[in-house]
């Protein structure tokens, strides 16, 4: 029986990047309300684990292995990305440099890299967006283009997007 507080579970996962085995027998439970820190030296698999969680690396299909997200073994990638904020350098490379900061951050609500005109924010999401802009000291640059930002500003935008 799955613990109700577990939102993501990896059970006996084996995965490869190209021909290199990166995980063998990996088990991990992530619980709602807990903060998780992944520590380790370079090359230990931290980034690969995040790629496995965000589904840009796929495990081998084996009878005794499972990935369960939000209580389901059937994982809709876009649904997952709209519920979980991920931040990595690949996201930075996918964002159009002409996208406004406010649109980059709000695109995180939709699990996308750029918000389209038909994607509207409700009142609560709009309030949260402006709270994040203030908290991350981004309000003054909220209408600037992502490509015009410094590296530090880009990182803060991506953190706000993930949150």
């Amino acid at each position: 029986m799955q613990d109700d507080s577990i939102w993501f579970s990896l059970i006996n996962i084996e995965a490869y990047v190209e021909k290199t085995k990166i995980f063998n027998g990996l088990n991990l439970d992530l619980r709602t309300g807990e903060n998780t820190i992944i520590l380790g030296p370079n090359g230990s698999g931290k980034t690969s684990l995040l790629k496995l969680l965000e589904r840009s690396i796929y495990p081998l299909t084996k009878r005794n292995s499972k990935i369960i997200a939000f209580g389901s073994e059937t994982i809709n990638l876009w649904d997952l990305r709209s519920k979980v904020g991920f931040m990595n350098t690949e996201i930075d490379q996918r964002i159009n440099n002409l996208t406004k900061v406010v649109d980059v951050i709000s695109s995180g609500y939709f699990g996308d890299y750029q918000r389209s005109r038909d994607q509207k924010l409700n009142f609560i999401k709009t309030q949260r967006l402006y709270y994040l802009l203030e908290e991350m000291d981004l309000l003054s640059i909220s209408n600037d283009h992502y490509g015009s930002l410094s590296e530090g500003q880009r990182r803060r935008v991506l953190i706000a997007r993930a949150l």
Side-chain angles (χ1 to χ4, degrees):
M1 185 168 136
Q2 171 116 3
D3 180 343
D4 285 342
S5 68
I6 297 174
W7 69 267
F8 199 87
S9 188
L10 301 172
I11 302 164
N12 195 31
I13 298 300
E14 182 176 333
Y16 290 79
V17 172
E18 296 177 9
K19 294 182 180 183
T20 304
K21 186 184 284 190
I22 54 171
F23 297 114
N24 186 29
L26 174 65
N27 293 292
L28 175 69
D29 289 332
L30 299 177
R31 289 179 169 73
T32 303
E34 290 184 350
N35 294 315
T36 303
I37 298 173
I38 303 165
L39 300 172
N42 290 344
S44 64
K46 300 179 302 289
T47 300
S48 296
L49 176 60
L50 289 176
K51 287 181 177 187
L52 186 66
L53 294 175
E54 73 171 353
R55 309 298 285 150
S56 59
I57 291 178
Y58 291 92
L60 291 179
T61 303
K62 297 178 5 181
R63 186 179 347 162
N64 60 346
S65 66
K66 294 179 184 177
I67 296 180
I68 302 169
F70 301 103
S72 176
E73 290 183 50
T74 304
I75 300 171
N76 177 308
L77 181 61
W78 300 113
D79 185 43
L80 176 67
R81 287 183 179 168
S82 71
K83 292 178 181 175
V84 181
F86 294 100
M87 185 188 140
N88 61 42
T89 54
E90 291 175 12
I91 291 173
D92 178 68
Q93 297 166 0
R94 292 181 182 191
I95 296 171
N96 182 319
N97 283 332
L98 297 177
T99 304
K100 290 183 178 183
V101 166
V102 68
D103 291 328
V104 171
I105 296 170
S106 61
S107 73
Y109 283 119
F110 304 101
D112 208 340
Y113 301 109
Q114 185 170 310
R115 194 173 110 201
S116 67
R117 294 194 188 282
D118 62 326
Q119 293 172 321
K120 303 292 183 199
L121 299 180
N122 64 26
F123 179 74
I124 292 171
K125 288 179 180 176
T126 300
Q127 279 188 313
R128 175 76 175 149
L129 171 65
Y130 283 97
Y131 171 80
L132 287 169
L133 287 167
E134 282 186 357
E135 286 297 303
M136 301 297 292
D137 194 26
L138 298 168
L139 196 54
S140 65
I141 61 167
S142 62
N143 287 310
D144 291 359
H145 293 129
Y146 186 73
S148 70
L149 304 181
S150 70
E151 188 67 28
Q153 289 170 323
R154 284 179 178 230
R155 292 283 176 237
R156 287 199 328 268
V157 168
L158 293 180
I159 290 169
R161 183 188 177 279
L163 292 171

